[in-house]
Amino acid sequence: MRLFTRVALGAIATMTALFQISDAQAAAALTLRIEAQGSGYNRPDPTNNFFFTTPVYSAAFAVSLDPTDDPNLFVRIIQDTTYVVTFSQTGLTLSTSYFGSRLATQANAGTCYGGGPVAGQAVYNPSCGTLSANVSFGGPPISFFEGGITRVLVEDGDTLDGRQVEYLTNLVPEPATWALMLTGFALTGYALRRRRVAFA
């Protein structure tokens, strides 16, 4: 009877430890979100028309990451694409390794921050960061973007609802871009009007 009790208690202790390890690993997963403003393009029909593109002015990239043995290294593997995020004393870097011909989103980024890789404890300095991203299948990109990072978020767990990776582009210029464009149009109109008056 004592032997049976010891075996049962040992099994319960082992199962409890395994569940605790599993919970700790699940809690250690992260989701990285990066927003940026810059320039790029989308190709609506890459197979028939490689030259027609629609301009984009901002992009948002997000990926859910699994922890590794290194507490500062997080990885996500999706078919032929591997996303690696590394945290260091000076900031974080995102790199993509792509091997294959399937449609995939690739992104590379880096930004400065102070703090750690735990959500809510990192204070980022987006002004020193850049994001470059493209969607391709081994040939010319369907979508391409490059610009300066405006926001970085590190969230606990997988907050993408199982989608693993997310990439969005904005076809509408940001308010600052609109202001710059309108100022340019106004100055151009003023210069043309002065030129007409001078010739009259």
Side-chain angles (χ1 to χ4, degrees), residues 131-183:
L131 169 69
S132 63
N134 71 81
V135 180
S136 72
F137 48 89
I142 294 173
S143 177
F144 174 82
F145 175 84
E146 192 169 52
I149 293 175
T150 58
R151 190 180 186 199
V152 178
L153 291 175
V154 177
E155 301 168 339
D156 287 325
D158 180 1
T159 60
L160 295 179
D161 299 325
R163 292 190 302 274
Q164 298 182 330
V165 66
E166 185 178 83
Y167 174 62
L168 302 171
T169 56
N170 186 4
L171 305 182
V172 180
E174 298 293 327
T177 306
W178 274 115
L180 188 61
M181 289 170 59
L182 291 175
T183 302

Side-chain angles (χ1 to χ4, degrees), residues 83-106:
Y83 303 94
V84 178
V85 173
T86 305
F87 294 90
S88 68
Q89 295 291 332
T90 56
L92 69 84
T93 57
L94 163 68
S95 61
T96 305
S97 299
Y98 174 69
F99 304 98
S101 58
R102 300 177 183 179
L103 189 65
T105 301
Q106 304 165 56

Side-chain angles (χ1 to χ4, degrees), residues 11 22 27-28 30 34 44 46 52 58 74 79 88 92 98 103 105 136-137 140 149 162 190 196 198:
S22 177
L30 295 176
I34 299 176
F52 179 74
S58 64
F74 294 80
Q79 295 179 342
S88 68
L92 69 84
Y98 174 69
L103 189 65
T105 301
S136 72
F137 48 89
I149 293 175
Y190 177 73
R196 278 202 303 264

